[in-house]
Amino acid sequence: MTETLAVDVNRTGLHTLEAPTTFEANGPFAIALTNHGEPTHVHVHLDDHLSDIARIEASNHYVETDETRHVEVKTRDRTEWPSDLVRGKLKVVTAHGQETHYVDIEFDRTPEKEPVEVDPDLSKPRQQEDTEVSPAMRALPVGVLGAVALLLAIGALFAADGINFVLGAFAVIAGVACAVAANYLLV
């Protein structure tokens, strides 16, 4: 679908122009010149930045009363654009220069992201399988690791002497307490 830039001519008086101050497009678009009053000539012109990627076949257009004339703005292939974002000005003139309006045009060729389809089944909770793990099976790894830590601490106590022996005893007691507490928390 081609985007359209609406320009109203003679709506609020003779030789008046109304158009948005900015317009964004990602390819070719149309300028819709709608005349609400006396027949008039409208001139449209792309600045140098926009002329690098876009062109208008004819720049002068005669628009009758209550007529809408569509002016195509064609673009080069998007792969030939100098950058992903091209900005410039479109000049719209009526009454041989008596009224001028500029529209900031922004061409953006960054690809639109494809929408992600989500499977409706993902919103439903999964069924629990019948393979429940018993509390004893959950406590087994903690018990094994606690026993290994206890054996290592006891070995360190025999190798140490003096104050190290007392600190080692506290470490063994703390390790046993942690293993027992973890075992009860998991069950």
Side-chain angles (χ1 to χ4, degrees):
M1 178 178 158
T2 304
E3 299 167 86
T4 303
L5 170 63
V7 177
D8 290 304
V9 182
N10 296 329
R11 186 162 73 170
T12 58
L14 186 61
H15 305 302
T16 59
L17 287 172
E18 295 174 46
T21 56
T22 61
F23 183 76
E24 295 179 12
N26 57 10
F29 68 94
I31 304 169
L33 302 171
T34 303
N35 187 0
H36 300 275
E38 296 295 318
T40 189
H41 286 275
V42 180
H43 176 79
V44 290
H45 174 75
L46 300 172
D47 72 359
D48 290 342
H49 295 288
L50 296 179
S51 294
D52 285 344
I53 66 163
R55 65 184 172 86
I56 300 173
E57 290 292 326
S59 58
N60 288 310
H61 301 277
Y62 183 73
V63 187
E64 293 281 348
T65 302
D66 296 326
E67 177 187 20
T68 299
R69 175 164 296 218
H70 292 278
V71 179
E72 284 189 55
V73 178
K74 298 178 180 176
T75 60
R76 293 184 355 204
D77 187 73
R78 292 162 56 109
T79 59
E80 298 175 7
W81 292 9
S83 64
D84 285 342
L85 191 63
V86 177
R87 292 184 179 131
K89 292 194 179 290
L90 168 71
K91 181 179 177 183
V92 183
V93 180
T94 189
H96 306 290
Q98 182 179 345
E99 183 72 28
T100 302
H101 185 80
Y102 290 95
V103 180
D104 291 322
I105 305 288
E106 183 176 285
F107 282 102
D108 189 358
R109 75 169 176 191
T110 53
E112 293 183 18
K113 294 182 179 176
E114 294 290 324
V116 176
E117 291 185 28
V118 178
D119 188 355
D121 292 340
L122 291 175
S123 65
K124 299 175 187 169
R126 288 186 357 182
Q127 295 291 331
Q128 288 289 335
E129 295 181 15
D130 291 337
T131 56
E132 281 286 325
V133 178
S134 69
M137 291 299 290
R138 268 193 255 151
L140 183 64
V142 174
V144 169
L145 289 176
V148 170
L150 185 60
L151 288 174
L152 288 174
I154 291 172
L157 284 177
F158 286 116
D161 60 332
I163 189 72
N164 291 338
F165 183 78
V166 173
L167 292 176
F170 284 127
V172 169
I173 293 169
V176 169
C178 287
V180 170
N183 191 20
Y184 283 112
L185 289 176
L186 288 177
V187 175

